[in-house]
Amino acid sequence: MGVKHAREYKDILGDLTDAVSAIRDSYSFFEMSSDEWGELGDVEKREIMEALADDVFYGLGEEPVLHVGEGIVAYKPKFHVIEVMVDGKEARIVRLI
């Protein structure tokens, strides 16, 4: 199926990286503990969040909804967006076109 997009992938990936980074325990997607996460430097954390965003983007091509830590990421093809529910109060939208 795949996630259809018209924007440059690198731009989508940047926005999605920022969005999943806002999920407090997004690192748990990779089965990391909070202690392991805390030991990483800022550059390493950003690289891991970019890898997470990449995995999520391609995962949404198979499953339209993914759980990332306490957050939820959903592909909304009708609206050409990926919706990132950071928590019960905040949502972020990543445009695909």
Side-chain angles (χ1 to χ4, degrees):
M1 173 170 85
V3 174
K4 294 182 182 182
H5 59 93
R7 285 178 67 205
E8 290 288 327
Y9 179 71
K10 68 178 184 66
D11 296 333
I12 293 169
L13 185 61
D15 290 348
L16 189 54
T17 299
D18 292 341
V20 297
S21 295
I23 299 171
R24 186 171 20 136
D25 63 343
S26 56
Y27 55 83
S28 67
F29 188 83
F30 291 122
E31 299 180 2
M32 293 180 73
S33 69
S34 59
D35 290 338
E36 291 170 320
W37 180 251
E39 292 174 4
L40 299 175
D42 291 341
V43 172
E44 293 169 310
K45 287 179 179 178
R46 181 68 181 185
E47 289 171 353
I48 289 172
M49 287 297 105
E50 187 171 301
L52 172 59
D54 186 61
D55 287 355
V56 164
F57 183 85
Y58 287 101
L60 289 171
E62 297 295 322
E63 295 289 330
V65 177
L66 297 172
H67 293 269
V68 177
E70 293 180 11
I72 298 172
V73 183
Y75 173 41
K76 307 285 186 167
K78 180 178 178 181
F79 301 105
H80 309 285
V81 299
I82 295 172
E83 181 180 57
V84 179
M85 298 300 299
V86 174
D87 55 28
K89 297 178 183 177
E90 180 182 354
R92 303 223 180 156
I93 302 298
V94 177
R95 295 179 299 105
L96 299 172
I97 58 173

